[in-house]
Amino acid sequence: MIGVNIGHAKTLDEYLKEAETFQNENQIEKAISTMEQAVKEYPKSSAAYAHLGIAISMKAQQTKDYEEIFKVIRRAFEMWNRALSLDPHNVTARFYRGAWAVNIPKFVRQLETGIKDMEIIVMALKQSPDEEARAQLVRAYQQLATGYQKAGDYEKAKETWGEIIKIAPETELADLAQTTIEHIVAVEKWLVEKYGKKQDIPEITELRQKQ
């Protein structure tokens, strides 16, 4: 329809597709620039901010300087926060914010937010009849279990890892879940033997996550 895009250089879908192409070609700076232009053109678009956050987070993965990494990550969180302020039901923004929050160091102070995000995602996916949601649920459980474990809530961590074994048996992730549960149990046993109780410790050694 003539006139629909008056005032806009491109549609939002065009920006998103262009950014995705740049990301697939590992041209992350161009992807970021594309989505920065998108949020200028569509400042009320939750999706635009969510995908700008994703592009920025990809830059963080390529950044070698330790201090710079956290500056970049904080900016990604700002974009996801903005996306969710515009639309609290933006699953993409919530999943990425939650997944990053439970995997980055605790001193960034995003762990509690990440756990809440993944709890919301898990609840939503459990209610979905879509088959694809089942695969997404497994990944969400993994992130949630990681968050609980990092927070020192080992009972919830074991329970959540156990859910992965139930819904994705005989998979590499189920094997990882079982190994992690056994590791938590072993540490808890050691704590009881040494201190007479399962007293809190900073965190259980993190096992390498299989993607």
Side-chain angles (χ1 to χ4, degrees):
M1 179 177 177
I2 297 175
V4 168
N5 294 321
I6 291 178
H8 295 300
K10 302 174 186 175
T11 67
L12 179 57
D13 282 345
E14 286 173 335
Y15 277 119
L16 293 174
K17 289 177 182 178
E18 182 177 308
E20 182 179 8
T21 297
F22 284 136
Q23 288 170 1
N24 291 338
E25 295 173 350
N26 201 33
Q27 299 186 65
I28 305 306
E29 289 294 347
K30 287 186 177 181
I32 292 173
S33 295
T34 297
M35 292 314 302
E36 285 175 336
Q37 185 60 38
V39 299
K40 289 179 182 178
E41 293 279 338
Y42 301 92
K44 295 184 179 180
S45 170
S46 176
Y49 281 100
H51 285 273
L52 175 54
I54 293 171
I56 293 170
S57 71
M58 294 178 73
K59 178 181 178 179
Q61 292 177 313
Q62 297 181 345
T63 302
K64 299 185 183 300
D65 182 79
Y66 192 73
E67 291 186 6
E68 184 64 23
I69 288 173
F70 292 105
K71 290 180 182 179
V72 176
I73 289 174
R74 287 189 179 95
R75 187 175 176 226
F77 273 95
E78 288 174 2
M79 298 305 108
W80 292 323
N81 292 344
R82 177 60 176 158
L84 288 166
S85 71
L86 289 167
D87 178 11
H89 302 293
N90 187 323
V91 175
T92 299
R94 193 170 296 282
F95 184 90
Y96 273 89
R97 186 177 75 171
W100 271 88
V102 300
N103 282 287
I104 58 180
K106 291 173 69 175
F107 68 76
V108 184
R109 298 182 179 180
Q110 293 290 341
L111 182 56
E112 184 177 351
T113 294
I115 290 173
K116 289 180 179 178
D117 281 343
M118 298 318 301
E119 287 175 338
I120 291 171
I121 292 292
V122 164
M123 185 175 297
L125 291 173
K126 285 173 68 176
Q127 296 173 354
S128 174
D130 185 39
E131 186 61 31
E132 177 61 24
R134 186 180 183 86
Q136 295 173 347
L137 179 59
V138 174
R139 293 194 293 272
Y141 269 133
Q142 179 184 12
Q143 302 301 335
L144 181 56
T146 299
Y148 284 145
Q149 190 170 329
K150 186 172 288 186
D153 193 338
Y154 305 126
E155 290 304 317
K156 284 187 178 180
K158 288 186 292 184
E159 179 182 343
T160 306
W161 284 116
E163 290 297 324
I164 293 175
I165 297 172
K166 290 179 184 177
I167 64 177
E170 300 180 0
T171 63
E172 287 188 356
L173 193 50
D175 291 341
L176 173 64
Q178 184 59 47
T179 299
T180 305
I181 291 171
E182 292 172 358
H183 182 68
I184 294 172
V185 170
V187 171
E188 288 179 326
K189 181 179 179 181
W190 176 81
L191 288 171
V192 171
E193 292 175 349
K194 186 173 181 64
Y195 300 105
K197 61 179 180 178
K198 299 176 184 177
Q199 69 176 43
D200 291 336
I201 55 176
E203 64 182 73
I204 291 178
T205 302
E206 295 178 17
L207 296 173
R208 183 177 182 179
Q209 303 297 307
K210 298 180 181 178
Q211 303 299 328

